[in-house]
Amino acid sequence: MNTSVPKISDFPTGEENAGFAQYFSGKSWLAPLTKDKNLNVPMSNVTFEPGCRNNWHSHTGGQLLIVVGGEGLYQERGKPAQHLKAGDVVEIAPNIEHWHGATATSWFSHLATNGNPTTNENKWLEPVTEEVYKEANNQ
């Protein structure tokens, strides 16, 4: 079985996202893209293997996702899932519980940054159930 990560965008894939693995179902990779802390715009490329998604979570400062490769899903609690493809932008308001990740059959990559990064706090919640994930893939 081929376990290498395919090139799905021009951004680096980075290293396996071991530091946040407890909040993901499946494997993901993280590549920090910005280094200047004075700029106050931390941005990373996050890559998900097929079937990988993060837990339900929220950000006190909100979040911005820019899809750069593959096909993915985004869902806010209580709303239908959105199918994502390269070029899509997702603006997530502060304190909105949501999840995002790859579809069941495609790799997925997005750039991510949080609003108000100096005061932003992530609140990690429960994993997305197989039932919710399957329904999102079928929408």
Side-chain angles (χ1 to χ4, degrees):
M1 182 170 127
N2 184 358
T3 58
S4 63
V5 179
K7 180 175 173 55
I8 60 171
S9 83
D10 288 334
F11 291 94
T13 302
E15 302 296 322
E16 191 169 327
N17 194 3
F20 288 87
Q22 64 184 331
Y23 305 117
F24 284 72
S25 297
K27 287 187 180 180
S28 67
W29 290 259
L30 182 66
L33 301 175
T34 56
K35 295 177 178 68
D36 186 347
K37 301 229 184 276
N38 294 320
L39 186 59
N40 202 27
V41 185
M43 185 173 291
S44 295
N45 184 35
V46 185
T47 301
F48 302 75
E49 69 179 351
C52 178
R53 68 271 188 188
N54 50 34
N55 289 7
W56 290 100
H57 63 284
S58 64
H59 309 269
T60 59
Q63 188 176 39
L64 180 68
L65 307 176
I66 302 168
V67 181
V68 295
E71 294 182 37
L73 299 163
Y74 167 78
Q75 186 173 22
E76 292 181 5
R77 195 170 311 263
K79 295 186 178 179
Q82 298 174 35
H83 190 92
L84 303 174
K85 60 186 183 326
D88 287 341
V89 175
V90 181
E91 297 176 75
I92 307 163
N95 302 309
I96 295 296
E97 292 181 0
H98 66 282
W99 66 269
H100 37 101
T103 65
T105 59
S106 177
W107 286 82
F108 177 60
S109 186
H110 65 55
L111 306 183
T113 189
N114 293 328
N116 302 302
T118 55
T119 59
N120 179 68
E121 293 181 19
N122 295 352
K123 180 179 178 185
W124 290 101
L125 304 165
E126 77 277 8
V128 175
T129 65
E130 289 298 324
E131 179 180 82
V132 167
Y133 184 68
K134 184 177 179 181
E135 182 179 334
N137 273 275
N138 292 329
Q139 290 179 349

